[in-house]
Amino acid sequence: MGSPPLIIVAIDGGAASGKSSTSRLLAERFNLLHVDTGSFYRHITWELLRRNVPSGERTALLAALPSLNFSTRLEGRSARMLIGGQPAGDEIRSQQVNEHVSHYAAVPEVRAILLDYQRGQTEVAKQHGFRGLVMEGRDIGSVIFPDADFRFFLHADPAERVKRRAAEGRQDSIAERDRLDSSRKTAPLACPPGAIDIDSTFLTLEQVVEKLAGLIAPKLT
């Protein structure tokens, strides 16, 4: 008999909705590859800012995109993007990147160059013996893996999300990022039709994980 098929878990939601923490814990519980696509957009943003290529200068931006050569390095259970063979550091979580990432992410061509790379993480999961992957972002269940085995959308009250960022010692323009991500023409942030919508405002991280895990577990038995 061949190996069982990979399962794909898609988790979408806005900033500080609990996507990353939930995804990491589900990856650990079910032996899944964790893929944080938000970090991909952050890495691209940092690289283009480093090259002085603004998101609003379309000609320069389109000229720069083909030179962004992507590869993947495994770090624990997480897939880490390399650009030109180099990983990003803590700078991708800086205030500067926070302020610009939604603008770059709104460019259709930026999203297009990442499409195959993101879908290709299934091969990374296979090569490293994972049972599947859990991918978090803003268009995973709608665009990247619309036929995922599980599609979840996490959301929380904006004030609660600001508190979560502050507890992490970070600042984030959550309301503005929500506005930009939800209003962009290409792959806007929204709960995909048929996805399971979960309000995490008054739930602990453990409660969110247990809720999702209870739905996923029967698929793996």
Side-chain angles (χ1 to χ4, degrees):
M1 296 179 61
S3 58
L6 290 178
I7 72 157
I8 297 176
V9 180
I11 300 182
D12 290 307
S17 60
K19 300 188 306 296
S20 293
S21 298
T22 299
S23 298
R24 289 191 186 97
L25 290 173
L26 290 174
E28 183 176 346
R29 179 175 298 199
F30 294 116
N31 188 31
L32 305 175
L33 175 67
H34 169 236
V35 185
D36 174 8
T37 64
S39 70
F40 297 167
Y41 284 97
R42 286 175 172 277
H43 194 168
I44 289 173
T45 296
W46 175 255
E47 179 64 19
L48 292 173
L49 289 172
R50 188 184 68 79
R51 297 187 191 187
N52 296 314
V53 181
S55 60
E57 293 189 9
R58 184 174 177 79
T59 299
L61 179 59
L62 296 186
L65 292 180
S67 66
L68 301 178
N69 298 312
F70 306 136
S71 57
T72 302
R73 183 170 77 190
L74 196 65
E75 293 190 353
R77 295 185 181 276
S78 295
R80 186 167 190 184
M81 170 191 272
L82 309 180
I83 296 181
Q86 298 299 315
D90 292 341
E91 63 270 8
I92 70 169
R93 304 291 173 184
S94 66
Q95 184 65 22
Q96 182 185 25
V97 171
N98 284 345
E99 292 172 355
H100 289 87
V101 62
S102 291
H103 295 283
Y104 286 100
V107 178
E109 289 82 2
V110 171
R111 306 196 74 83
I113 65 166
L114 272 175
L115 183 63
D116 288 341
Y117 175 73
Q118 289 174 98
R119 289 176 174 168
Q121 299 306 304
T122 56
E123 291 303 314
V124 176
K126 287 179 185 177
Q127 291 167 7
H128 291 89
F130 290 101
R131 181 65 182 82
L133 60 83
V134 52
M135 182 175 285
E136 54 164 299
R138 286 165 170 74
D139 66 347
I140 312 308
S142 57
V143 176
I144 309 303
F145 290 118
D147 297 321
D149 298 275
F150 299 95
R151 296 184 302 150
F152 300 106
F153 187 86
L154 300 185
H155 65 96
D157 181 83
E160 172 62 22
R161 291 189 284 144
V162 170
K163 285 171 57 179
R164 292 174 184 177
R165 278 291 190 259
E168 297 170 353
R170 294 161 54 189
Q171 291 183 333
D172 205 342
S173 304
I174 286 176
E176 178 63 7
R177 288 184 61 194
D178 280 353
R179 186 188 69 79
L180 292 169
D181 291 339
S182 300
S183 61
R184 65 179 178 236
K185 293 181 179 180
T186 302
L189 171 65
C191 182
I196 298 172
D197 190 355
I198 295 176
D199 184 348
S200 69
T201 304
F202 302 108
L203 298 177
T204 65
L205 172 60
E206 291 74 18
Q207 288 172 324
V208 173
V209 171
E210 289 304 318
K211 187 181 286 285
L212 273 60
L215 296 170
I216 296 169
K219 181 83 173 183
L220 298 175
T221 58

